[in-house]
Amino acid sequence: MPAYENMMLQITLAAVPVALYFLMLGLLNSRQHPQLLSGRMDFTLLIMALAPLVVFPLLSHFGASLPTSAGVMIVLSAIVLALSPQRTWVIYNIPGRDSVGILSKALSLLNLKHEISGNCIDIPSRGVRLEVGSFAPLRNVTVRLKGGDEQIAQDIGLSIADVLSGIRVPTSNMAMSLLLVATAMMVAPLAMVAHRVPEIVRIIGDLLN
């Protein structure tokens, strides 16, 4: 395969995971209800989307095969999963200004008396604090639990999900933009090498054998 088309294949392999990540963000931000993800899941998806931008070109430079590259990705994903944040949640498709009120309602459902101070919520009786941070461009909110045991973490997570299921939100312009970007990122590289699909399939088959 000519060097130019081989380069386009490498770009495609790196671009598709990022495009799928943008697609996921677009879908999360276009749901009727805010979507709750664990911090571990959110961080893992991010790393899996960005790692190919570094891993595939680097391993290709050293002559690694596609199966080797895939194996490295699997190992990296397992490491990231083990090291990713715990006792953290990410809420998508929600304005940051609404987040503290939603968390307060979730705690009230658990009969947990709490005190609100800015972007923090303290539960004195349990020695627990919830820290809230928002990222306006993607309409998501990160909630970190400090203190407490695993049971209260599980209870709070379930209560937040319960409150979110009763909230309806409109589809944002950002969601549509992310979906359009994801589509363009998947279509453009593939279109540039579409005429060599049979050869690409043969080469990938040879690498896997």
Side-chain angles (χ1 to χ4, degrees):
M1 181 182 292
Y4 169 76
E5 293 185 358
N6 182 64
M7 179 184 69
M8 289 308 304
L9 176 59
Q10 294 294 329
I11 292 174
T12 300
L13 290 174
V16 168
V18 178
L20 291 175
Y21 181 68
F22 284 162
L23 177 63
M24 182 201 71
L25 291 179
L27 293 175
L28 288 172
N29 280 297
S30 61
R31 294 174 61 87
Q32 292 184 345
H33 307 282
Q35 179 65 49
L36 181 70
L37 295 182
S38 68
R40 171 171 287 183
M41 174 62 71
D42 183 73
F43 189 66
T44 301
L45 291 174
L46 175 63
I47 294 300
M48 289 180 66
L50 298 182
L53 295 175
V54 178
V55 174
F56 284 144
L58 182 61
L59 294 180
S60 177
H61 176 74
F62 289 103
S65 65
L66 187 60
T68 300
S69 300
V72 171
M73 282 295 299
I74 292 173
V75 172
L76 286 177
S77 298
I79 294 174
V80 167
L81 186 61
L83 299 178
S84 56
Q86 301 183 49
R87 300 161 65 82
T88 302
W89 303 272
V90 181
I91 307 173
Y92 281 93
N93 200 20
I94 184 175
R97 62 181 180 273
D98 297 340
S99 58
V100 172
I102 289 172
L103 294 174
S104 177
K105 185 175 181 179
L107 296 177
S108 295
L109 290 177
L110 296 172
N111 295 316
L112 292 173
K113 293 183 179 181
H114 52 280
E115 302 170 354
I116 299 174
S117 176
N119 290 328
C120 296
I121 304 177
D122 292 301
I123 309 174
S125 62
R126 299 292 189 92
V128 168
R129 164 171 282 197
L130 293 175
E131 298 177 350
V132 184
S134 63
F135 187 58
L138 294 182
R139 286 174 59 85
N140 68 24
V141 171
T142 301
V143 182
R144 295 181 177 85
L145 175 66
K146 304 293 185 180
D149 55 23
E150 293 306 315
Q151 184 59 54
I152 193 172
Q154 181 179 355
D155 291 342
I156 290 175
L158 291 174
S159 188
I160 294 173
D162 186 43
V163 172
L164 294 177
S165 67
I167 298 175
R168 296 181 67 88
V169 289
T171 300
S172 66
N173 292 331
M174 177 56 67
M176 296 298 98
S177 299
L178 287 168
L179 292 174
L180 289 174
V181 169
T183 301
M185 289 185 67
M186 287 188 286
V187 171
L190 293 174
M192 298 183 72
V193 295
H195 64 291
R196 304 301 293 270
V197 167
E199 185 175 353
I200 292 172
V201 171
R202 179 182 59 78
I203 291 173
I204 293 176
D206 292 343
L207 288 172
L208 294 175
N209 291 331

